[in-house]
Amino acid sequence: MFRFPSGLLYCRLHRRKLSTTPSRPPSLPLSHPIYLIWGSNTGVGKTLVSAGIAAASLFSSATTSSQFHYLKPLQTGFPADSDSRFVINKLRQLSLLRNPSVHLSTSHRVLNVSPAVLETNPLVGEEGRGPSELHCKTLYAWEEAVSPHLAAEREGLAVKDSVVLETLGECFEEVVERGAGRERSDVLCVVETAGGVASPGPSGTLQCDLYRPFRIPAVLVGDGRLGGISGTISAYESLTLRGYDVVAVAFEDHGLLNEGPLMSYMRNKVPVLVLPPIPRDLSNDLIEWFENSHHIFSNLKEIMLSAYFERIKKLQDMPREARDIIWWPFTQHQLVPDGGVTVIDSRCGENFSIFKKTEVIAPQFDACASWWTQGPDAIMQAELAREMGYTAARFGHVMFPENVHEPALNCAELLLQGVGKGWASRTYFSDNGSTAIEIALKMAFRKFSVDHGIIVDCHEDTTNERPTELMVLALQRSYHGDTLGAMEAQAPSSYTGFLQQPWYTGRGLFLDPPSVFMHNNTWNVSIPEGYNWENLKGESIAFSSCDEVFHKGRDKSELATVYSSYISEVLSRFKGSKNVGALIMEPVIQGAGGMHMVDPLFQRVLVNECRSRKIPVIFDEVFTGFWRLGVETAAELIHCVPDIACFGKLLTGGIIPLAVTLATSAVFDSFIGDSKLKALLHGHSYSAHAMGCAAAVKSIQWFKDPCSNPNITSEGRLLRELWDDKMVRRISSHPAIQRVVTLGTLCAVELKAEGTSAGYGSLYARPLLEKLREDGIYMRPLGNVIYLLCGPCTSPEVCNQLLAKLHRQLDEFDGYKN
């Protein structure tokens, strides 16, 4: 029986199976350069390139001690075929050739092998002590020489993607530990992949997707053979489409001059290096080939180091450069502290990858859902990138009036069959939520004017005369966007004061709506002053569950009568030369106004009151639509439909701006006539842009399909519960908390605060958010209101981890203790 060398770390693969999914992906250290070695296919010489880079790193100077780490995460055909063993053997030979008197310190470890390998000799161990060090590791090895996903299946054991990444992260930590005290350029680590760029890993995930959370810079080993140009370009595009930085391409010379077309395609932005032909004689030890290639590998190493130092400098300089030239939205620059600028290197699924002063790229869960737009997990992000790449190549951009293209038509059909099903017949495209609101207001005012005889003939509408002034009926705490018309349709707030909008007049009648929230384990309805509700029974304003709040049976309650009386009384007082020409409201959740949940019964009664007066109804679902609240459209929660509705943000999965305004046939017909002047004269240069429409089609389909979104219930109409009810109730009972609202992908928390510590301008939550960011959660407050916002595809396990971290940090929060 083979006896393993002392000190050797050698584990059975099935022991790793017990590992659980980490709370978040591991970090990528930047203290020394780390690179991925990719191949355009199998058998193109990745391991030779890895060994050549190792030789250039370790033997570049007789006076400098260097350290090289070779990591092979996935190895099949083991132990007969072992790339890490090849690298260590060749480097030992080259070391003896270069300087026989100086020993190369080496270590070789195989961390996990399948049970099929246990009775074979993996030939691993440690040798020598010298100024330069070579450390080789194979992380997972299988016996059969097939793709890792087949080997894992046939040998009875698969490895989760998260476990592969966790193990690789642990290896990176060891690189940092071993390299401590050395110069940056004296330590180099390469991670060699298996097969080609799109070869599957052990779980079946393509390796270009498997390693994407790290976004490690890449060296691509191309193909110099016939057909190699196509294969190399395809591999390169597969990497760049996923956001990898390819710093160089290297391949063996087969005499076909493949470098010419490759350099032309890459426009000389990526160096292309050509290696000498590799001897085909199996008895050749390749030492002479390595010697002849040394200057090329030295050049490649310098390219890698240069790209690394350039990246570090850029990451370090970005905060200062940003402060000098960028004007951030919703930000008082004077209040941004030193070190308060977050450098986002990339995004993978639900996580930012941020650059930290400790010189790591660390994941942070994006609990703002990048300001309410994001929904994709990592798989969907890659799907959207491919879809948009195809669409950009096919269409670029084309103008839209009186034209049609496939993405726009498909998008319109899906919208009318989904969020507009049963009431909408037309889709009007725009570019963002605020402009969608502007369009909706124009639609509603025209419909009201036609229904009430205000417009008779508009063949010659060239004057500025106004037969009446049209106002909106809206809610306090409302927010419908930052363009001037949208701001006129919302109640006075921090966003509409003279400092922000000197033209603001507030052309509306703004009702103070009752709100719903959880406090001390109970869902409560908070009814403002002005409602005659003092004689209501307690059960009308307190509920044991959120489901009871949305129950249609509440229509027969005393509270419904109170709401109806209040609305009727307010409307009856509004008379004169002004008319309420539209109702506009955010169904259920008022986002920017503080994440307040409006009593759905109140909104339902309000819609019915407006319908009885022929006042068109607009739902602003820019924030609430597309599963944000656990259903595809919030209209399902209040059990009534609008005449007009606006959607954006999650419409495209958050990858590109696009908005739509849906309308009924009756609204559309109010614009039909013999004169163009009666048409809706509104549009944008990028109306219905093809990339946005294609992203929307993919997102709409993805979110509602149980095969791609595991959170969709079997009926396909609801998201499963994402937030643990017990933990939510614990948070609602915390002494630091005023109220909690959880619904769909949203968990909002208002911190108890008074005076200047409360309200949108408050900085009260800043210390808490700083702690949460350190704990891996990126949050941005609405004053003393903080919120967790996930995506429709986020697992309940992740949501529960977020809640646990929030609860833990609340216990440490000094604000409520003081």
Side-chain angles (χ1 to χ4, degrees), residues 374-385:
Q374 289 291 308
D377 53 16
I379 300 173
M380 184 182 175
Q381 181 179 339
E383 289 279 340
L384 287 171

Side-chain angles (χ1 to χ4, degrees), residues 358-379:
T358 53
E359 295 205 334
V360 298
I361 299 291
Q364 274 191 347
F365 185 90
D366 176 13
C368 300
S370 277
W371 247 353
W372 317 349
T373 67
Q374 289 291 308
D377 53 16
I379 300 173

Side-chain angles (χ1 to χ4, degrees), residues 354-408:
I354 66 163
F355 175 66
K356 305 186 77 170
K357 291 182 178 180
T358 53
E359 295 205 334
V360 298
I361 299 291
Q364 274 191 347
F365 185 90
D366 176 13
C368 300
S370 277
W371 247 353
W372 317 349
T373 67
Q374 289 291 308
D377 53 16
I379 300 173
M380 184 182 175
Q381 181 179 339
E383 289 279 340
L384 287 171
R386 284 193 291 273
E387 192 70 29
M388 290 182 64
Y390 163 79
T391 306
R394 178 179 172 184
F395 291 102
H397 176 60
V398 294
M399 70 173 293
F400 195 57
E402 300 176 52
N403 296 326
V404 68
H405 50 74
E406 188 177 357

Side-chain angles (χ1 to χ4, degrees), residues 512-738:
D512 196 0
S515 59
V516 182
F517 57 88
M518 178 186 284
H519 182 66
N520 282 335
N521 291 322
T522 302
W523 286 91
N524 304 281
V525 178
S526 176
I527 303 176
E529 294 182 3
Y531 292 75
N532 296 317
W533 64 279
E534 289 78 6
N535 296 324
L536 287 180
K537 297 177 181 177
E539 58 266 23
S540 297
I541 57 174
F543 304 90
S544 60
S545 71
C546 190
D547 289 341
E548 295 178 18
V549 176
F550 290 101
H551 199 281
K552 189 84 164 48
R554 294 181 64 208
D555 287 354
K556 299 179 181 179
S557 67
E558 296 178 84
L559 192 54
T561 303
V562 170
Y563 290 162
S564 180
S565 298
Y566 168 78
I567 296 165
S568 297
E569 182 182 349
V570 172
L571 287 174
S572 67
R573 297 200 305 261
F574 190 72
K575 295 179 180 178
S577 60
K578 298 179 181 180
N579 284 290
V580 173
L583 165 65
I584 180 170
M585 65 180 188
E586 302 155 274
V588 185
I589 296 291
Q590 295 178 309
M595 295 297 178
H596 289 275
M597 179 190 290
V598 180
D599 188 352
L601 174 62
F602 174 82
Q603 292 193 317
R604 187 160 58 249
V605 171
L606 180 57
V607 168
N608 292 335
E609 291 290 340
C610 289
R611 284 267 155 72
S612 67
R613 293 167 172 81
K614 292 186 177 180
I615 298 173
V617 176
I618 302 169
F619 283 1
D620 176 356
E621 290 219 54
V622 174
F623 170 59
T624 62
F626 296 106
W627 308 101
R628 182 57 73 202
L629 304 186
V631 289
E632 192 170 22
T633 165
E636 297 181 37
L637 296 174
I638 59 176
H639 304 291
C640 59
V641 296
D643 301 294
I644 303 163
C646 303
F647 296 89
K649 298 192 185 298
L650 261 175
L651 168 63
T652 64
I655 201 165
I656 192 170
L658 183 75
V660 294
T661 305
L662 304 188
T664 63
S665 295
V667 172
F668 175 75
D669 289 344
S670 65
F671 288 84
I672 298 301
D674 297 330
S675 171
K676 184 174 182 179
L677 297 179
K678 195 175 182 181
L680 180 48
L681 304 181
H682 190 116
H684 305 275
S685 298
Y686 287 95
S687 291
H689 58 93
M691 285 193 290
C693 291
V697 169
K698 176 66 71 173
S699 298
I700 293 169
Q701 294 172 331
W702 189 280
F703 289 145
K704 69 196 310 178
D705 185 352
C707 294
S708 51
N709 183 2
N711 289 333
I712 293 291
T713 59
S714 56
E715 297 82 9
R717 295 189 60 232
L718 297 171
L719 289 183
R720 60 175 169 165
E721 185 58 53
L722 300 178
W723 309 101
D724 180 67
D725 185 63
K726 290 183 179 179
M727 181 58 76
V728 170
R729 292 179 182 275
R730 286 180 64 187
I731 292 174
S732 79
S733 302
H734 196 281
I737 300 306
Q738 182 68 36

